[in-house]
Amino acid sequence: MLELDGYLLAPPRLHFALPFDTYDTWCVLLPATGSFDYQVGDAHGIAKFGDVVVCPPGGILHRRMRTRTSFFHARFITELEPPTGRTRVRDLDRLRGNLTLLENATTTIATHVVTDLVLMLSRTGSPKDPLVHSALTYLNEHYASPDVSLTELAAVLGISPSQLSRRFRTVRGTTPVAYLRDLRLQKARELLAETDQTLQVIAEHTGYRSAFYLSRVFSTQTGQAPSEYRRTSRV
């Protein structure tokens, strides 16, 4: 879904190295602290924490710090089409968690974070397809059930699994199965960071039948074992 071309989590500084740049790939730029002015095509304004600025391939990204600012910048290739310009992220806790992951990130973890960020941007608008909206509502309400499946969801909505996957991907840029997995893993990350619950209890709260299976999926998708994520997220 996404191939990372490079990234930087920069500590606070007074100026960007360059006032503008152009890229052959997609790029994102977001402040972790502070704020900066930006311009991408006709879109311009001020970005602060919670704002993500996206520049498409071939575009020119102008930027100028307004205050001492730390920031995250990444270049990537994707089949998705994140919104160009500034987008306000709704889930600020999720954004903070992703930035924390990047502090000691491997390329695998950074790729996971950027993918999650792009999906967050893609989800900020309301779905244009009512059926996809119903699917999202169902998944967000039933993600903790290990019995949720594409077949079950399609049956609830009165559509074939293949049709549901196609319409869901058109609107969300991902499949229902991948969306459910990412939702469950995000909930697992929150419980690992914010509670002392055992991995088995967290598995039961996030739709996994066992701690072993949750650990395998978590490690594969994030590049970290759950125990390692818990330790580093609390530093």
Side-chain angles (χ1 to χ4, degrees):
M1 180 184 295
L2 184 146
E3 178 183 344
L4 194 62
D5 186 51
Y7 67 94
L8 170 67
L9 182 63
R13 58 180 64 174
L14 292 173
H15 306 284
F16 287 108
L18 296 171
F20 65 90
D21 208 343
T22 184
Y23 307 93
D24 295 330
T25 62
W26 289 93
C27 79
V28 294
L29 178 65
L30 62 96
T33 62
S35 61
F36 59 80
D37 295 315
Y38 74 90
Q39 181 175 352
V40 181
D42 294 331
H44 59 88
I46 301 171
K48 57 186 179 180
F49 177 74
D51 294 326
V52 179
V53 177
V54 175
C55 183
I60 301 175
L61 174 58
H62 297 264
R63 58 279 179 112
R64 181 180 65 84
M65 290 184 181
R66 298 174 62 88
T67 62
R68 187 176 179 85
T69 300
S70 59
F71 63 89
F72 175 62
H73 177 264
R75 304 182 308 278
F76 57 94
I77 300 168
T78 181
E79 295 177 357
L80 303 177
E81 293 190 8
T84 298
R86 181 186 61 192
T87 300
R88 184 72 181 171
V89 172
R90 295 177 181 174
D91 193 340
L92 297 183
D93 288 338
R94 183 172 174 179
L95 179 59
R96 290 189 187 94
N98 278 335
L99 290 174
T100 299
L101 275 178
L102 288 165
E103 291 175 1
N104 296 290
T106 62
T107 300
T108 299
I109 294 174
T111 300
H112 171 78
V113 168
V114 175
T115 300
D116 190 51
L117 183 61
V118 170
L119 291 175
M120 289 170 67
L121 297 180
S122 301
R123 293 169 189 161
T124 54
S126 299
K128 299 177 181 179
D129 188 328
L131 184 136
V132 174
H133 179 72
S134 296
L136 288 167
T137 299
Y138 188 90
L139 292 174
N140 280 279
E141 291 178 351
H142 297 87
Y143 71 88
S145 170
D147 296 322
V148 174
S149 66
L150 176 61
T151 300
E152 175 193 293
L153 178 59
V156 168
L157 299 173
I159 192 173
S160 72
S162 60
Q163 288 177 312
L164 173 58
S165 290
R166 184 172 62 253
R167 289 171 65 171
F168 198 98
R169 181 182 285 278
T170 297
V171 174
R172 308 301 293 185
T174 188
T175 66
V177 172
Y179 177 87
L180 177 60
R181 181 201 64 210
D182 291 344
L183 178 61
R184 285 172 168 168
L185 289 177
Q186 178 57 30
K187 298 297 182 180
R189 286 199 296 266
E190 292 172 3
L191 292 173
L192 285 167
E194 299 170 7
T195 76
D196 293 317
Q197 293 175 350
T198 66
L199 192 60
Q200 179 60 41
V201 171
I202 292 175
E204 293 169 359
H205 287 352
T206 54
Y208 293 99
R209 297 188 184 279
S210 69
F212 173 78
Y213 187 52
L214 169 58
S215 180
R216 187 173 68 179
V217 175
F218 193 99
S219 298
T220 299
Q221 295 299 318
T222 70
Q224 280 186 306
S227 58
E228 183 184 1
Y229 175 79
R230 170 171 271 171
R231 178 178 58 80
T232 57
S233 67
R234 294 184 174 185
V235 173

